Amino acid sequence: MKVLITGGAGFIGATLVRHLCDGGHEVTVIDDLSSSGRSTTDSRAKLVVGSLSDSKLLEKLLNKKDVVFHLAALGIIKISLEKPEAAFENNLTYGVRLLEAMRKKGVKKIIYSSSSSVYGEPKRNPVQEEDQKEPINPYGASKYTFESALSAYYHSFGINSAALRYFNVYGPGDEQKPVTRAVPSWIQWALTGNTIWVYWGGKQIKDYIYVDDVARANILAAMDKKNGFRTYNVGSGDGRKMLDIALTIKKIIGKDLKIVDQGERPGDPNVLVADISKIKKELGWKPIVDLETGLKHTIEYYTERLKK
């Protein structure tokens, strides 16, 4: 395949680039490098530093492409609460600009990195793709609104799409700036100090999925020959208390760490766990890396990184 990846210098994007290059695909990346924490990506891919606001650049990069993997986004819930207009501009307006460029260049497939945030506080867990969507923050709302755009562009213009609703992605290579995700924060605090800070007393139940499993889901969705607009949960299907995850990190690292509660944090659902039966049935995907193994790999990555 000849592919364009938006946000391909980011955490998930860089992992996807590596998997695609390993598979012999021709990869072009567009990234503005604003939050990835990187200035490069896999040397086998072509990196173009630019913005999705640039329609002419998008049309140029889409020439003769088979599929687009759309990962670029304003992806931090806290920032979306502080700057909701920016969240909708980045995650909806620029996404539609990408779809328009695809329409003009005749590119007929897009794999979209959506989010479990579209569900808000679900009425049941594990949550299924067809369950009620009621986002509780601007980030989730912007992600869900773009899914509607994908549906419209399929029915109106024949652009096929799959929206992959990621749950909590973790793993090696997360260089997000600023660091807001729990697992990389906790690991780095644990390796450099003696305290891990949690919210809500660590009682929230989340679904964590390893980044390489997420990359595989993207590639399987791109390879799928079915037409239409489809949505898939991408998670482990296994809910874990955040406190238990913190204790697992403490056990693996082997330090006498203090776990301190920081109280409430707005924008977070209390329980959010994926039902992954649909993606298993339709794409033949299932997670391979269990949480404990994934945390060990992630801790090894940050241990080496902190030595540099």
Side-chain angles (χ1 to χ4, degrees), residues 84-96:
E85 186 175 1
F88 282 97
E89 180 178 49
N90 279 271
N91 300 348
L92 176 60
T93 304
Y94 292 169
V96 172

Side-chain angles (χ1 to χ4, degrees), residues 112-119 128-131 133 144 147 162-168 209 229-235 274 278:
Y112 171 51
S113 291
S114 189
S115 169
S116 60
S117 292
V118 304
Y119 296 113
Q128 296 180 353
E129 286 84 353
E130 302 309 314
D131 285 353
K133 269 70 72 179
Y144 184 45
E147 288 189 10
L164 304 182
R165 294 173 181 159
Y166 303 158
F167 281 65
N168 293 273
I209 181 70
F229 162 69
R230 293 156 291 135
T231 59
Y232 296 107
N233 288 337
V234 181
K278 182 180 179 183

Side-chain angles (χ1 to χ4, degrees), residues 4 6 17 29 38-39 138 142 151 157 180 195 201 218 221 240 300:
L4 175 66
T6 74
V17 169
V29 170
R38 293 183 180 81
S39 58
S142 65
S151 176
F157 309 116
T180 63
T195 304
N218 273 269
R240 299 287 189 98
E300 289 168 0

